[in-house]
Each structure stands twice: as C-alpha cells, then as structure tokens.
Amino acid sequence: MLALTRKNKIRELVLEQKNVTVSELASLFSVTEETIRRDLKSLEESGLLIRTYGGAYIQDGVVNDLRDSLRETILVPNKQKIAKKCAEFINNGDTIALDASTTAFHICSEIKNKRITVLTDSLKVSSYLSNYDNIHLISTGGTFLNKYSSFTGKSAQKTIMEYFVDKAFVSCRSVDMQHGITDANEEIAAIRTLLIERAKKAFLIADHSKFDNVSFVSICGFDKIDVVVADEPLNAEWHEFLKQRNISLFECAQDDPADKA
Amino acid sequence: MLALTRKNKIRELVLEQKNVTVSELASLFSVTEETIRRDLKSLEESGLLIRTYGGAYIQDGVVNDLRDSLRETILVPNKQKIAKKCAEFINNGDTIALDASTTAFHICSEIKNKRITVLTDSLKVSSYLSNYDNIHLISTGGTFLNKYSSFTGKSAQKTIMEYFVDKAFVSCRSVDMQHGITDANEEIAAIRTLLIERAKKAFLIADHSKFDNVSFVSICGFDKIDVVVADEPLNAEWHEFLKQRNISLFECAQDDPADKA
DNA sequence: TTGTTTTTTGTTTGTTTTACCCAAAATAGT
DNA sequence: ACTATTTTGGGTAAAACAAACAAAAAACAA
C-alpha cells in the first residue's frame, strides 16, 4: 500500500469514528506503530486531526477542509523553515497577529502548545487553533475572501483597531527597496497594513521569490518593519539596505546550518 | 480504549446522571479506582465537574452551561428536521444570520447551494460555508469561545451592528412564556440578542426540551420574535400564547408527517 | 540498465506517561 | 471515639513516545 493511501485512509477513519488508536491502525495496515505515529504526526501538522496519548481524534465540525492547504505545496519546506524560525520569537504570554498567508498557517503547528493570544484574519488559522484550549483566539471577522481564506473589509479593520499585539507576522506578495512592501489584493493589503501598525514588533515573512518585485497595492514602507525572516540568504545589497534601517534579518538555510561552512 | 475517550465518557455520564461514584466508573471501564480519581481530578481542574468524597457530581440549575456540550449530541434527527424547515424560508438573494447552535449548523448543509449572504458568529458555520463560492460569508469575529465554537465579545457585537439581515435563525437554551428567551451563557446571549435585533424577521429555533424552562441570561422577549420553529407539536397553551402575539409557529414532526395520522 | 540519492519503514534505545499496587493519612458515619 | 471507606502519595511495571540509526524501497541521473 502507498504511504499516501494509508494516510488518506487514516484520515477517513478518524473523520468517521472521531478517534483512533495507534495500535488499532498499526494492526489494520500491518505496519509498525512507529510508522503510524509518524503518519499521525504529519496529519496533525496539516491540521487534520489532533494527537493524544495512544491515538488521535478530531473535534466534530471544526476541522473540515484544511487538507486543501496541504496542496499549496510550492516552497513548503522553505516555508516550514521560516515558520520554525518565527516560532522561536513567540513566547508564552505573548499576543501575536498572524495574517492569512501559507507561512502563517505553518507557524500554527509550531505554536499550538504555547499559551498565547492570537489575532488573525485567516479562517484556516482560526480553524486550526480553535482546537487548542491554551490559545486565546481572536478573529477579525468581516467579509470572507475565498481565494485567500481571509476575512477582510471595514468590519475586519475596525476589529483590528480594537487590539494591540506584541508581534505581528505578516507576509506579502512583493518586497522592493524603493517601493517597500506591496501586495496584489487591495483588501488583503489593507488588513496587513493594519496588523503591522498595531504591533509593537513587525515581522516580515518573505521567501526569496518575493524580493526585488513590486505589486499593485502598497502595504507599508520599511520604516514599519522590525524583523525580516527570509528562506534563503539575501545578497549583499539587501544586507546593507536592512542594516542601514536597523532591521534584523534572519535567513533560514534550506537544510542544515552546517551547509554554510 | 483511549484515555481521552474514557474521560469524555465520564463527562457524558456525569452530565447525564448528575453524579457518579468512583467504584462505579472503575468497574465500568475496568480500571482501578486510582485511575478514575486521576481522571476526575483533571476533569475537575477543567471545571467540568465537582469532586466529592467517593465520586463526583455537577450542579444542575443556575450556572451550568456544562450540559450544553452534551446537548449537542442529542436530538440530532429532530434538529435536522428543524433545519430543513428553516431552509425553506431562505431564498436566493437573502441576507441571513446564523448563530452558533447545532441546529444552525445543520441549516448549512441545506442552504449550501443557494446564492445568499450569511452573517454568523459560529466558526463551524464559517468553516463549512467557506467552501461554497455562492455563499457570501461574513463572520462577526471576536474572542473565540471554545465550548460554543462561537466568536463573541465587544468586537463581535460591534461587527454585527454594522449589518442588517433579512432573517435571523437563532436558538437558545430555554423558552418561557413569562420570562421569554433565555440562555446560560452571557456572551452567547448578547450575540443572540443582537442578531435578532438586526433582523427584519427573527426565527426562534427550539426543540421541545427547551420549552417551559428558564436560564440565567435573558436574550429577548417574545415581542422580538416573528417565527418559532419547533420539533414536536406544542401544547394548546403555547399555541394560544403565540397566536395572541402574532408569532407564526411551525412544528416539524419527528418522522413522516403521516405518522401523526 | 546501473549506481546513487532520497524517502520510507523498521529497529533499537532511552525517556516519559500512564496505570496499578500498597500503605499511611484523611474522612464520614455510627 | 471507633470503624469502614476513601483519598493520597510513593514505588513499580507497562505502555507509549521520541530520537537516532539501519534497512528497504522508491526515485533519479548517468
């Protein structure tokens, strides 16, 4: 049996009977319990179930179609690296903002066990984090944009204006030295502008494909950004540019840090 | 059996029969009494029951939105009947409000193909309807209440105040002739009050278990209600009461309408 | 095809969690 | 105050987990 087939069957099973045990699945598929644990682990990270001692379960209704987010497979390993890096900055007691980007969604699985407050415009982030009691979850609400899985519009903006956060983790479409941070969608850009504005510390999440490009709508200039988290090392010009503006830069190597030696 | 499953079953049991003994549970699940004690301890810490010498119990009466989680799982066929009935009132082009009740969630599957606008405080409703492009989805946002899967609080209320809807479908905990529509949770009640207020036509969704009871917080009086949708036929007294107030009543038979013959 | 790399699965080892047993302390009933 | 029962805490065994490594399978390039 194909590994993916097994995972799909596990997903179906857990959807059907709400909870499964490791031993049950191991004997069902004739594989080791370790293999099952690995499967459950990856399924949990995709937000399809929640692991517990001895097995896994789902809460009825909440986790519906997050599996689609699995398919956004471009640059996933890089985004996970960035997500892991970002999670390092998030401590218990923090109040953070997560936008409706793929990377922000990946951050969720890294922080699900922390005791924090999360403000988000993303439905996927909300759905995922709603399973964890230790997360104090606040949604911006507003008009739902299917394409981005984001709540936007005047209502969302007004709601954001009611809160302050310690750290905001915001992605974008393009980053350019001259034109700053830009996005393709006006509504999304407006939300991101606000999330950054309401944060003590703004983290710009951007993989290398976004640099040196300009998109339609402006989110903000570099003066609002405190930290940039990128996937691959940027060139010297960018290093100098960010350094001048007192912006910290974190570059997540694709593989081991030892690679750089 | 999964440890978590056992705890859930204990929770259901104590909700069902008000009190349980350690020895009873130990023999029921074939574990030692110490194990049960630990379970009860952790359940007590999450506020789901109160431990006493020899067992545990819950207080039935004023402040118990605890029973609601059990309530979710009962009378499902009835709720589906009500949901189907409600869906008949919803037409293309309508703007409707759905609250965070089980019945409202059931309504979703009935209206998923209609071209409508939906305002909701329920994460489950949002998650479900987000998959359908024909649904214009608006979330109230706000602070997430895990127990109800609902967004509440000041932000949610402010957002609701920005919209008007044609029809609101709202459930509750209790319905009483003298004290009107009431609920166990203050935050949820506040949201429901507003949803009703902002609707041209307010539909009260209530299965028979809710009638002639009073809960802690008031949602509204009968003057705000336009239609009542119940599962089983109400008694003559209620018929008269609603008729006097010009409130339409729809009673959904449990099975086929032919059953009543 | 062959050989190499990558991915997946199984195995081993050590750690953590859970459940059980037993004895001492605490509690309720008489 | 006495007694029977329950609770608590310590110690122990078993189950589950995590991490590291080895083997097998699959994917890939030459």
Side-chain angles (χ1 to χ4, degrees):
Chain A
M1 162 166 321
L2 216 54
L4 193 84
T5 314
R6 189 183 58 236
K7 280 194 198 175
N8 281 333
K9 283 200 187 296
I10 292 176
R11 201 188 59 202
E12 281 172 31
L13 262 173
V14 82
L15 277 169
E16 197 176 306
Q17 63 192 47
K18 309 303 177 208
N19 57 56
V20 290
T21 65
V22 173
S23 56
E24 167 195 352
L25 294 171
S27 68
L28 178 60
F29 295 112
S30 313
V31 292
T32 331
E33 301 201 339
E34 291 309 311
T35 306
I36 297 297
R37 286 198 192 92
R38 268 186 284 255
D39 288 347
L40 294 180
K41 198 169 187 176
S42 84
L43 288 169
E44 182 181 43
E45 276 166 12
S46 322
L48 294 159
L49 48 78
I50 299 160
R51 235 144 60 90
T52 181
Y53 200 85
Y57 68 99
I58 57 162
Q59 273 190 320
D60 216 5
V62 180
V63 190
N64 59 341
D65 239 353
L66 297 181
R67 68 192 101 147
D68 285 341
S69 41
L70 264 178
R71 275 192 267 138
E72 295 166 7
T73 44
I74 44 166
L75 294 173
V76 165
N78 288 26
K79 285 175 178 172
Q80 278 172 342
K81 278 267 149 48
I82 296 181
K84 231 183 250 301
K85 187 43 135 183
C86 290
E88 289 177 20
F89 298 108
I90 302 172
N91 309 311
N92 280 332
D94 273 357
T95 304
I96 68 164
L98 292 179
D99 75 352
S101 64
T102 320
T103 315
F105 182 69
H106 283 300
I107 291 178
C108 291
S109 68
E110 303 290 333
I111 60 170
K112 58 173 183 272
N113 292 319
K114 300 190 177 183
R115 195 177 37 75
I116 53 176
T117 298
V118 177
L119 170 66
T120 185
D121 64 312
S122 161
L123 176 60
K124 284 180 187 169
V125 169
S126 293
S127 275
Y128 188 101
L129 293 180
S130 71
N131 294 301
Y132 301 92
D133 281 333
N134 46 300
I135 303 276
H136 183 208
L137 176 63
I138 300 168
S139 163
T140 65
T143 305
F144 185 67
L145 276 196
N146 210 325
K147 193 173 168 191
Y148 298 89
S149 175
S150 163
F151 292 109
T152 61
K154 194 179 64 174
S155 308
Q157 293 171 32
K158 280 196 182 177
T159 301
I160 296 174
M161 291 304 286
E162 307 218 355
Y163 298 97
F164 290 98
V165 297
D166 295 319
K167 294 152 192 167
F169 296 87
V170 173
S171 187
C172 64
R173 178 71 179 274
S174 309
V175 186
D176 183 85
M177 291 193 197
Q178 196 184 340
H179 301 96
I181 328 299
T182 49
D183 217 316
N185 182 292
E186 209 161 352
E187 294 294 340
I188 297 285
I191 298 295
R192 290 182 166 157
T193 302
L194 274 185
L195 288 181
I196 289 171
E197 200 169 280
R198 305 296 285 182
K200 286 204 194 83
K201 206 159 185 175
F203 291 72
L204 178 66
I205 303 168
D207 60 72
H208 63 282
S209 71
K210 306 193 162 160
F211 284 86
D212 299 312
N213 282 314
V214 182
S215 288
F216 186 49
V217 195
S218 168
I219 293 176
C220 67
F222 282 96
D223 52 313
K224 307 277 188 187
I225 304 297
D226 298 289
V227 182
V228 170
V229 185
D231 57 345
E232 290 179 6
L234 301 180
N235 61 35
E237 204 179 345
W238 272 104
H239 277 259
E240 178 59 25
F241 180 85
L242 295 174
K243 195 174 179 183
Q244 270 183 14
R245 280 160 186 76
N246 240 357
I247 300 174
S248 313
L249 171 63
F250 291 90
E251 296 158 334
C252 315
Q254 255 179 303
D255 300 314
D256 286 346
D259 251 30
K260 308 275 121 186
Chain B
M1 165 168 323
L2 225 49
L4 191 97
T5 312
R6 189 182 58 234
K7 281 194 200 173
N8 281 333
K9 284 200 188 294
I10 292 176
R11 194 168 52 98
E12 280 179 31
L13 263 173
V14 81
L15 283 166
E16 205 170 295
Q17 62 193 47
K18 316 285 189 232
N19 54 57
V20 289
T21 66
V22 174
S23 56
E24 167 196 354
L25 294 171
S27 68
L28 178 60
F29 295 113
S30 314
V31 293
T32 49
E33 307 199 335
E34 281 85 321
T35 306
I36 296 298
R37 283 193 198 99
R38 262 185 295 266
D39 288 346
L40 295 179
K41 201 167 189 173
S42 83
L43 287 170
E44 183 180 41
E45 277 164 12
S46 25
L48 291 157
L49 48 78
I50 301 160
R51 233 145 61 90
T52 181
Y53 201 83
Y57 68 98
I58 55 159
Q59 270 183 319
D60 200 21
V62 210
V63 201
N64 65 343
D65 42 22
L66 303 174
R67 286 182 65 82
D68 290 357
S69 38
L70 172 67
R71 214 171 270 277
E72 295 271 313
T73 55
I74 64 173
L75 293 174
V76 168
N78 289 26
K79 286 172 178 173
Q80 279 170 342
K81 277 267 149 48
I82 296 182
K84 231 184 249 301
K85 188 49 155 182
C86 289
E88 289 177 20
F89 299 107
I90 302 171
N91 309 312
N92 281 331
D94 272 358
T95 303
I96 68 163
L98 292 180
D99 75 353
S101 63
T102 319
T103 315
F105 182 67
H106 285 305
I107 291 178
C108 290
S109 64
E110 302 290 333
I111 59 170
K112 59 173 184 265
N113 292 320
K114 300 189 178 183
R115 193 177 39 73
I116 54 176
T117 298
V118 177
L119 170 67
T120 185
D121 64 311
S122 161
L123 176 60
K124 286 184 185 176
V125 170
S126 293
S127 281
Y128 188 96
L129 294 180
S130 70
N131 297 304
Y132 301 92
D133 281 331
N134 46 300
I135 304 274
H136 183 209
L137 176 63
I138 300 168
S139 163
T140 66
T143 304
F144 185 67
L145 275 197
N146 209 324
K147 200 178 293 174
Y148 299 90
S149 176
S150 163
F151 292 109
T152 61
K154 194 180 66 176
S155 308
Q157 293 172 33
K158 280 195 181 175
T159 302
I160 296 173
M161 292 304 285
E162 307 217 355
Y163 299 96
F164 289 99
V165 296
D166 295 321
K167 294 151 192 166
F169 297 86
V170 174
S171 188
C172 64
R173 177 66 187 279
S174 308
V175 186
D176 183 85
M177 290 193 198
Q178 195 185 340
H179 301 97
I181 328 297
T182 49
D183 218 316
N185 182 290
E186 208 161 352
E187 294 294 340
I188 297 284
I191 298 295
R192 288 180 167 159
T193 303
L194 275 184
L195 289 180
I196 289 170
E197 201 169 276
R198 306 296 285 181
K200 285 205 194 83
K201 206 161 186 173
F203 290 71
L204 177 67
I205 304 169
D207 60 72
H208 65 281
S209 72
K210 307 193 163 162
F211 284 87
D212 299 311
N213 282 315
V214 182
S215 289
F216 187 49
V217 195
S218 168
I219 294 176
C220 66
F222 282 96
D223 52 316
K224 306 278 186 186
I225 303 297
D226 299 289
V227 182
V228 170
V229 185
D231 58 342
E232 290 180 5
L234 301 179
N235 60 34
E237 205 179 344
W238 272 104
H239 277 260
E240 179 59 26
F241 180 86
L242 295 174
K243 194 173 179 182
Q244 270 183 13
R245 281 159 186 76
N246 239 358
I247 300 174
S248 312
L249 170 64
F250 291 90
E251 296 158 333
C252 315
Q254 252 178 304
D255 301 312
D256 285 346
D259 249 32
K260 306 275 122 187

